[in-house]
Structure formats: C-alpha cells, structure tokens
C-alpha cells in the first residue's frame, strides 16, 4: 500500500481496524479525539463491529472487559486523566487474563493538567497502574509509522500472552502528521479466541473470576501471572540503539523525547561530541540488558524525559551502580527543542570531562 | 411417579451459601427456571456483582463473568456488542446498581442496550456488613445510620426503577418482591418477560426485586417477609413501571 499522510491518532485507529479490532469503546478527551472519531467513522458501520461513545472512561474500560471476555479484539483510548479512571478495569482485565489494547496519548499532569504532550504517566503505565500485582506490556512509539506498526503488534502481543497491552504515546505523536504505510489488510472474517464466554454450547459452562475465599488460590493466580511476565521479559523486551558504538555519553529517552534527542545528538555529533542514544521501545518490560550492555562502553548516561525523571529509577536499577546517571526533563506539557537538549548534552559532556 | 419439582438444569448441584430466608436464593432459582423454560442455557452469559451474590457463578450453570462493583451494565454492554447472539444478564444489588453503578446503569438503559438487569433491592449493603444503601428507608437503622436514616443527612431512598423507566431506551421495567408465593410467581413472570425482551431485541429490561435480608434487618425470615409488605413496598410500590415491549419493532 502506498504511504498516506495521517495524524498519529488516526493511524492507530486505521491500524487497529486492519488488525481485526472489532469493538472500540472510548470517552472524549484531548489530545486523542481523532482516534475515537476515526473509529466512529470507519469502524462503527463495519459488519460485526461496534463503536460506543461511553458515559465515562470507567464504563469504556468495563465495556472492553466484557467484549474481551467474549473473545474479540477490542481497544480503548484516552489521555492521562481518563487513563487514571481506567485503572480499575485494567486490573480486572489483567487478573482475568483478558487481552485488549489501551492507548494513552498522555498530556501534562497532575490533575486536569494541560492538553499539551507530556510523558508523566510512565510510572502509572509501567507499574501496573491499578490495584494488585500485575503488569501490562507498554509500547512506546516515537513516530506515526511506529504508532501504526506498534498497534498491530500490541494486538498480537495481547492475544499471545492474554494480557492488556498499553501504547504510551503523547499529545504530540497523536496529532502530528507523517506519511504512513499500512502493511495489513483488514480481515474479512474475525477470529474469536477459544478462551471466551459466548454461552456454554457443546461444552461445560465457564467462569472468568478472581474472587475467592481461599488466598492460596489467588496466590496461585499471581504466580501464574508472574511466570508469564517473566516469559514476556525474556521474549519481548525491545529497544533501539542509535550511534552507541563509540559513544562516551548515552542518552536514554523514549517516545517523542527520543525523537527530540535524536535531533540533539545530530547537532552535537556535528561538533565532534561522541553521544549516542538507547531508546526503550518496550517500557515494560524495560530493556535492562541493553542498558547493562551499553554500560560496557561508557559509564555516562543522561536520561531525558518530558516529566520529572520517572524512568531514571529503571535506568539506575539496570546499571546497578555501574554508571553515572544525569537527568534532564521538562514536565507539565512543555515541549523541549532539540537545540535546548543539545545545549544540555554539551554542558554535561564538558562537566563530566568527556571531551 | 411424576416428578413435579426438581433442580433447574441451569443451576449447578451446589449448596447456596446464603443466609436462611435470604431473597437471593429464591431469585437465583427463578432465573434458572426461566433460562430453562426459554431454552437459552447455551446462549446465556451472566454478570454477577461484588456483593452477597458474588459467588453466583458457582450456582448458575451458564457462562459467568465477574464484574467490578457497579460496572455490570457496562460489562454486559461490551459482551453484547461483541456478540449480539448471546443473552446477557446482570445480577446486581442496590449498592451495586443504584450507588456506585448508577451512571453505567442509566446510560446502558438510555442507549437501549439489549441486556437484562436483575436488581436485588434489600435496602442494605449485605456483603460488607449491613451499611446504608441508597435504597435504605427513612428511619431504617443500619451500621452507618445507627440512629436511623435521616432525611436531612442522608436524603431519601432512591427509586432507581422509576429513574430507569424515564430513559427512553428502557422498554420494560417492573418492581416485584419475593415475600410470598404469589409474589414469587409474579417475580418469575417478570424475569421471564425481561429475558424475552432481550431475545426479541427490543431494548433494556430491568426487574427490581424487593428481597429480604433477615440477617442485616435483624429479623426472622417471617418478620422480613412481613416488613416488605408493611414498610418496604410502601416506599417502593410493586407493579409494572413501564412496558413498551408491544410498541417497538424487534431489532
Ligand atoms: C470499588 C469497590 N468498592 C467497594 C467494594 C466493597 N463492596 C463489595 S459489595 C458492596 C456492596 C454490596 O451491597 P449490595 O450491592 O446492595 O449487594 P448485597 O450484598 O446487599 O447483595 C461493597 C461496598 C468493592 N468490592 N469494590
Ligand atoms: S447478608 Fe442478607 S443479602 Fe447477604 S446472604 Fe445474608 S440475608 Fe442474604
């Protein structure tokens, strides 16, 4: 298929339809409205599909839960305040091993915050933001083509591991336009997961539930979830290295911040500074091994995020003290420029005696 | 010999954990009988709530999906939208449907979701130990209204069925009770109609059942039946609240 010019939100929606997403439930919030609107236009009338503008994010995620239990591919999207409301449902989805895709086009917080792009939901996304011991796979795209590609991957991962998968974008990625090509055609017939509740026809009745009066039963569920999480860590952790081979300073950045950092690195490279970048693509599982590997080349790391340093902990945990971590961040929806980041890089480079 | 009474097919051979005289047991049996009589056991998915009936999935021999507190109507919406051929019912207490889940219930009704809600009104939060429910009667004592529900502090008991009936997507709403053989028969008829409404694809159907909780009402089962007649049904009048099943075209 030839490339088309599309905003990120619409690209996710189109990719979801092509991945066989049958149901979409959402509630309006900026900066992700184009996604819901695209679904209203292009999914709602498709045979076998359903679109509901829910009365709240709470309702939307619980609709996702019901549809996922029915065995279909289902998605919801929102932005930070709405994602907070979805946490109850995400916990239930994780607990009942129900796959789904959740998109967070995050914005400045805390509180109502701003509608400008931010990355301040990193903790919430990577720690399993609701109650209980669980994780969700978190994918962090940094371009419109990646939004499309990762959306497809998110559905596949969700079905493969029976877990909710979150795409953590931001308002800028959602609204900027880039050429994007879609590599899949929407399916003619939808497949239904066999582990589903659709009426006990030709088989014994089934229950999806967690509540129990026997803690040992729930402990067993937790163990089984964590065995799966370990497998995900082993099989699905991804990251991208950019000019790290000779780097004396490695930037660690994800999503749109990685895009900004890339521009900054080009600038400082032109001035002769040996700077590279490690970009976590899965935020959970975090690319611990890749960080460790990078630490064999240099001990100097700079974490750059559009928040107050939520990923710093993960980088430090990965380094286990075998590296020095600096941080630069702009929270609240302020979008730093590549030249600003280039200045920060140069300063740290000099201060740390890397010249 | 002719068998005149047996366990409905749609109930598993399990022993209910409910207190003696609890209305949940009666309503469970009625729902199971209705599912059998309508021949829909293989199509039904039930959505039980957190509440005394949280273990309903151990009793009904149909597919069952645990719901978060109050979210039954949204869960059922997703289930039905994903698979319109299934018959989905929610089973919800008054705390579940009329407090924490008010928004989900009103909007599912308003959208005319083709789902069936069975609403157990026992005027208290049973599972958590008898706290005030939105349906607790004025002057009724509960663990969180130890001096009795005070209009000036807690407001009036909520008449949820009447609120639901105002939404245009709700096509069948009836309030019944399970405090006498006659009322139990009426309740079964209402439940059957609520399922039939969904089978016919007409819209949202809700049956509110005034249901005894002798434990938290601190009454004997017999006294609790009497109290429904004498007190509770004065606040929550029994009978048909809305029936538009004849006026709509199926689908
Ligand atoms: C989010 C959340 N809040 C609170 C609870 C605790 N809780 C469980 S059941 C319940 C209310 C039960 O009352 P009701 O819905 O009237 O049902 P009953 O037990 O009387 O049948 C509450 C508050 C919960 N499970 N989840
Ligand atoms: S506490 Fe009340 S509602 Fe709960 S099982 Fe006992 S009688 Fe029934």
């Amino acid at each position: 298929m030839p490339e088309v010019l599309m905003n990120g939100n619409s690209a996710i929606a189109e990719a979801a339809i092509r991945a066989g997403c049958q149901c979409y439930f959402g509630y309006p919030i900026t900066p992700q409205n184009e996604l819901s609107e695209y679904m209203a236009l292009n999914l709602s009338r498709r045979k076998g599909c359903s679109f509901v503008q829910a009365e709240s994010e709470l309702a939307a995620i619980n609709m996702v839960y019901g549809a996922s239990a029915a065995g279909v591919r289902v998605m919801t999207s929102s932005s930070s305040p709405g994602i907070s409301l979805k946490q109850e449902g995400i916990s239930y989805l994780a607990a009942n091993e129900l796959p789904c895709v959740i998109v967070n086009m995050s914005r400045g917080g805390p509180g109502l915050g701003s509608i400008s792009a931010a990355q301040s939901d990193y903790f919430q996304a990577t720690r399993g933001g609701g109650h209980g011991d669980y994780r969700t796979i978190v994918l962090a795209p940094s371009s419109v083509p990646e939004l499309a590609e990762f959306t497809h991957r998110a559905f596949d991962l969700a079905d493969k591991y029976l877990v909710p998968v979150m795409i953590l974008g931001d308002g800028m990625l959602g609204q900027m336009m880039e050429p994007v090509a879609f590599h899949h055609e929407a399916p003619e017939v939808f497949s239904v997961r066999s582990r589903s509740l659709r009426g006990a026809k030709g088989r014994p009745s089934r229950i999806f539930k967690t509540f129990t009066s026997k803690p040992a039963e729930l402990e067993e569920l937790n163990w089984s979830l964590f065995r799966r999480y370990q497998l995900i860590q082993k099989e699905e952790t991804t990251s991208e290295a950019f000019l790290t081979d000779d780097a004396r300073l490695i930037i660690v950045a994800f999503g749109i911040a990685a895009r900004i950092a890339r521009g900054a690195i080009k600038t400082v490279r032109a001035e002769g500074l040996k700077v590279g970048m490690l970009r976590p693509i899965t935020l959970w599982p975090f690319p611990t091994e890749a960080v460790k590997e990078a630490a064999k080349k240099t001990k100097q790391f700079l974490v750059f995020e559009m928040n107050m340093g939520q990923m710093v902990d993960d980088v430090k945990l990965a380094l286990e003290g075998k590296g020095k971590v600096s941080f630069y961040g702009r929270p609240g929806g302020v979008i730093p420029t590549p030249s600003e980041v280039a200045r920060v890089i140069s300063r740290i480079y000099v201060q740390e005696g890397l010249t | 010999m002719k068998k005149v009474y047996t366990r409905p097919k749609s109930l598993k051979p399990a022993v209910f954990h409910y207190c003696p005289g609890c209305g949940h047991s009666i309503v469970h049996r009625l729902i199971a009988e209705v599912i059998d009589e309508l021949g829909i056991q293989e199509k039904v998915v039930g959505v039980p709530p957190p509440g005394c009936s949280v273990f309903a999935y151990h009793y009904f021999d149909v597919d069952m999906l645990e719901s978060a507190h109050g979210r039954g109507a949204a869960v059922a919406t997703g289930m039905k939208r994903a698979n319109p051929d299934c018959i989905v019912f929610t089973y919800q207490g008054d705390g579940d449907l009329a407090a924490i889940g008010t928004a989900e219930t009103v909007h599912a009704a308003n959208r005319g979701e083709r789902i069936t809600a069975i609403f157990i009104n026992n005027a208290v939060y049973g599972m958590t130990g008898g706290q005030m429910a939105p349906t607790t009667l004025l002057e009724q004592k509960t663990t969180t209204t130890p001096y009795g529900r005070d209009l000036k502090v807690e407001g009036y008991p909520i008449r949820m069925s009447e609120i639901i009936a105002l939404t245009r997507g709700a096509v069948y709403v009836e309030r019944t009770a399970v405090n006498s053989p006659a009322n139990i028969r009426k309740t079964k008829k209402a439940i059957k109609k609520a399922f039939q409404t969904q089978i016919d694809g007409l819209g949202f159907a809700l049956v509110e059942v005034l249901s005894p909780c002798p434990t938290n009402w601190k009454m004997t089962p017999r006294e609790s039946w009497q109290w429904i007649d004498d007190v509770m049904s004065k606040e929550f009048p029994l009978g048909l609240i809305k029936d538009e099943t004849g006026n709509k075209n199926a689908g």
Side-chain angles (χ1 to χ4, degrees), chain A residues 298-332:
Chain A
T298 179
K299 301 292 168 219
Q300 291 291 342
F301 291 84
L302 166 63
V303 177
F304 164 55
E305 298 176 79
M306 282 153 60
N307 61 41
M308 287 305 289
Q310 299 190 13
M311 190 172 57
V312 171
D313 290 0
D314 283 335
V315 175
K316 285 188 175 167
L317 283 169
L319 286 171
E320 293 178 328
K322 298 190 188 77
K324 180 166 178 194
V325 182
S326 313
F327 169 70
Y328 182 70
R330 298 297 302 268

Side-chain angles (χ1 to χ4, degrees), chain A residues 219-350:
Chain A
E219 185 182 38
E220 194 38 60
L221 170 70
N222 275 276
W223 279 111
S224 98
L225 288 178
F226 268 72
R227 282 192 289 272
R228 197 169 322 152
Y229 297 159
Q230 281 175 329
L231 188 66
I232 294 170
Q233 282 173 310
K234 190 160 152 270
E235 302 288 337
E236 309 297 346
T237 307
T238 37
S239 61
E240 182 197 2
F242 175 65
L243 305 177
T244 51
D245 282 346
D246 64 343
R248 293 183 188 164
L249 174 68
I250 292 181
I251 316 290
V252 188
F254 70 93
I256 196 70
R259 191 88 174 260
I260 297 168
R262 196 179 281 258
I265 290 168
K266 283 185 186 146
T267 306
V268 297
R269 280 256 167 197
E271 293 158 9
L273 309 195
K274 295 201 164 110
V275 179
M277 175 167 65
L278 182 72
R279 168 166 86 104
I281 289 175
T282 50
L283 300 184
W284 192 89
F286 187 77
T288 304
E289 290 308 318
V291 174
K292 279 200 170 75
E293 202 51 40
K296 288 182 184 154
K297 297 175 188 137
T298 179
K299 301 292 168 219
Q300 291 291 342
F301 291 84
L302 166 63
V303 177
F304 164 55
E305 298 176 79
M306 282 153 60
N307 61 41
M308 287 305 289
Q310 299 190 13
M311 190 172 57
V312 171
D313 290 0
D314 283 335
V315 175
K316 285 188 175 167
L317 283 169
L319 286 171
E320 293 178 328
K322 298 190 188 77
K324 180 166 178 194
V325 182
S326 313
F327 169 70
Y328 182 70
R330 298 297 302 268
V334 174
I335 297 160
T337 61
S339 55
E340 168 187 350
V341 178
R343 281 197 301 278
V344 174
I345 293 172
S346 306
R347 174 168 53 76
I348 291 172
Y349 204 85
V350 174

Side-chain angles (χ1 to χ4, degrees), chain B residues 17-24 51-53 120 122 124-127 211-217:
Chain B
H17 70 279
Y18 299 110
C19 308
C22 175
H24 279 304
C52 277
S53 52
I120 305 297
N122 59 13
V124 285
Y125 282 23
M127 188 195 209
S211 174
C213 173
T215 303
N216 285 303
W217 295 356

Side-chain angles (χ1 to χ4, degrees), chain A residues 83-197:
Chain A
I83 297 292
S84 293
L85 279 183
K86 288 189 198 292
Q87 295 304 332
E88 173 189 58
I90 299 173
S91 170
Y92 277 72
L93 283 151
N96 286 287
E97 302 168 80
L98 292 172
C100 69
V101 175
I102 303 147
V103 177
N104 180 1
M105 287 308 190
S106 61
R107 57 189 245 182
L112 189 55
S114 79
I115 60 168
S116 179
Q119 297 185 314
S120 39
D121 299 346
Y122 179 94
F123 278 152
Q124 187 195 51
T126 56
R127 267 60 184 164
H131 62 285
D133 251 335
Y134 73 92
R135 300 284 188 160
T136 55
I137 296 176
V138 185
L139 303 177
S142 72
S143 68
V144 175
E146 277 192 358
L147 285 174
E149 186 196 329
F150 289 10
T151 298
H152 205 101
R153 190 189 301 173
F155 278 105
D156 288 346
L157 287 171
D159 280 351
K160 182 172 174 192
Y161 295 103
L162 301 178
V163 293
V165 177
M166 180 172 281
I167 296 173
L168 185 61
D170 61 76
M172 193 156 150
L173 276 172
Q175 297 194 317
M176 70 192 201
M177 293 180 88
E178 282 186 288
V180 52
F182 296 94
H183 305 295
H184 298 87
E185 289 301 326
E188 297 282 325
V189 278
F190 296 103
S191 56
V192 171
R193 241 175 297 113
S194 56
R195 184 185 177 276
S196 57
L197 302 178

